[in-house]
Amino acid sequence: MSNIIYISIWHESEYCKQLLIMIYKNPMLKNMFSIVSVDNGPVPPFIKTVPTLYNENNNSIITGNDLFNLINSYVQQNSAQDQASQQDQQQ
């Protein structure tokens, strides 16, 4: 992927834990994002809540339900592609 997309997390956040589980259950997603912990070190000023997705390519920020919806859409898209691929192989 040409975009550099970071997801900032905090280890004590239940929402961050849920998001990480979603990402790590889907191998395709693990390669799409760089996970950055805000536990240690300075927090960038644009991080107001966690988890936060930051796309360095266009400076876009996605948080909250919008972030979960985005990840879910990637999961569904990947699942549909996998099913189509399996059907092609069976024919």
Side-chain angles (χ1 to χ4, degrees):
M1 173 172 259
S2 60
N3 292 341
I4 300 174
I5 301 175
Y6 301 96
I7 296 181
S8 298
I9 58 149
W10 178 47
H11 80 279
E12 292 186 24
S13 165
E14 286 301 317
Y15 294 115
C16 291
K17 290 175 187 176
Q18 290 173 14
L19 188 67
L20 285 174
I21 289 168
M22 288 172 65
I23 291 171
Y24 286 114
K25 281 186 174 180
N26 296 281
M28 177 264 323
L29 294 177
K30 287 193 281 187
N31 297 322
M32 291 180 69
F33 306 106
S34 295
I35 307 298
V36 179
S37 174
V38 297
D39 292 329
N40 305 322
V43 177
F46 58 84
I47 302 290
K48 306 292 184 211
T49 183
V50 290
T52 294
L53 180 144
Y54 172 67
N55 186 331
E56 192 175 72
N57 205 37
N58 62 12
N59 295 326
S60 64
I61 294 172
I62 302 173
T63 62
N65 287 334
D66 291 337
L67 179 52
F68 279 89
N69 291 338
L70 176 69
I71 299 298
N72 277 323
S73 73
Y74 284 137
V75 169
Q76 291 172 355
Q77 196 174 44
N78 187 50
S79 178
Q81 288 174 355
D82 286 347
Q83 287 176 353
S85 177
Q86 287 175 358
Q87 288 176 351
D88 288 344
Q89 291 175 357
Q90 291 174 352
Q91 294 177 355

